[in-house]
Amino acid sequence: MSRRRGEFEHRTSIFEGAFRAWSHLGGLDPADLENKTAAELDPLTNPLEEDLRLLNGKGVKGNSAENKEAAGGSGDDGGGNGVNEEGQDGGSNSAATPGVFSGKRREYPYEPLPRSGLSHPFVQAILSPWLGPDADQDAIQLGLTTLRTWWQHRRKGESGSAVAALGTDKMRGVVEGYTRHFFNLAHCLVTNDKEQPPRTLNTKMREVEK
């Protein structure tokens, strides 16, 4: 494996795990968040079977790589739908029937990153394992820009290059590990530290408070 490809897999697995965790947290019911443990809400063992964000037509409706494969395509970076080496993860607007699962791949509706950026511990936690402890301020700011760009493109679905890079048994395990790690962290930040939750969850929490 080339160093460049290794870096791509490392970065994308972190970002993808964080995206899935934040998405899952956003789809939870405030009552479940209050009454159940993080283990009981785990995105891997207790996925959202009927995600209203998808059923209502919000979030991701299709998966670009899956659609390409179904059509006999290669699922590569052609046509600008891939992740370039700067971390810009393109996608496709190809629509699939709304639902939690599309084929064998799970759908994760888009939840925006916290607006507070680096002030939010969740965003810091995403950048930390990628950039390392010695990153200076310029590197951190560049990393935040890369993360935001990737996150925006990810709402259109996983790119073909990301699916290919993370599709091995090893990398699937890595992504699942990051998903669980980031979910437990986000759950703690929202329930214990009262940090800003994902947008959809925040809206539901406000409705409960009325």
Side-chain angles (χ1 to χ4, degrees):
M1 179 190 300
S2 69
R3 180 177 179 181
R4 198 170 188 180
R5 178 172 177 79
E7 158 63 16
F8 173 76
E9 290 184 352
H10 177 58
R11 179 190 64 212
T12 308
S13 62
I14 294 170
F15 287 6
E16 181 64 28
F19 183 93
R20 295 180 183 185
W22 198 242
S23 172
H24 182 75
L25 183 62
L28 295 177
D29 186 274
D32 288 339
L33 199 65
E34 182 176 348
N35 299 318
K36 295 183 179 181
T37 65
E40 292 174 309
L41 299 172
D42 185 274
L44 302 181
T45 57
N46 295 288
L48 300 173
E49 296 300 333
E50 292 187 359
D51 195 321
L52 295 179
R53 294 169 297 178
L54 290 171
L55 297 176
N56 291 334
K58 297 179 181 180
V60 176
K61 287 188 179 182
N63 182 289
S64 60
E66 288 296 301
N67 292 332
K68 284 183 180 180
E69 290 171 5
S74 63
D76 59 14
D77 286 348
N81 288 331
V83 182
N84 65 27
E85 291 302 328
E86 276 64 55
Q88 296 183 0
D89 185 357
S92 168
N93 288 320
S94 301
T97 302
V100 174
F101 293 94
S102 175
K104 295 182 179 180
R105 299 190 66 80
R106 184 172 182 79
E107 300 287 357
Y108 290 91
Y110 172 80
E111 291 287 344
L113 280 170
R115 289 185 176 181
S116 53
L118 291 172
S119 297
H120 199 292
F122 186 73
V123 175
Q124 297 176 25
I126 299 172
L127 296 177
S128 179
W130 170 37
L131 299 178
D134 299 325
D136 59 22
Q137 194 60 36
D138 288 342
I140 293 172
Q141 288 297 330
L142 179 59
L144 177 61
T145 299
T146 301
L147 172 61
R148 283 173 167 165
T149 301
W150 183 95
W151 204 276
Q152 283 290 331
H153 284 286
R154 177 60 179 81
R155 72 184 302 172
K156 301 176 184 178
E158 293 179 80
S159 71
S161 55
V163 170
L166 304 180
T168 65
D169 289 341
K170 175 184 176 182
M171 293 310 299
R172 279 195 296 267
V174 171
V175 173
E176 288 179 356
Y178 278 126
T179 301
R180 178 166 285 154
H181 163 74
F182 282 119
F183 175 75
N184 289 334
L185 172 64
H187 180 275
C188 179
L189 290 172
V190 171
T191 58
N192 296 341
D193 300 341
K194 308 305 178 184
E195 293 286 351
Q196 178 188 351
R199 182 174 61 187
T200 303
L201 176 59
N202 192 40
T203 299
K204 289 184 285 188
M205 292 171 71
R206 288 181 177 179
E207 291 175 351
V208 170
E209 293 172 355
K210 290 181 179 179

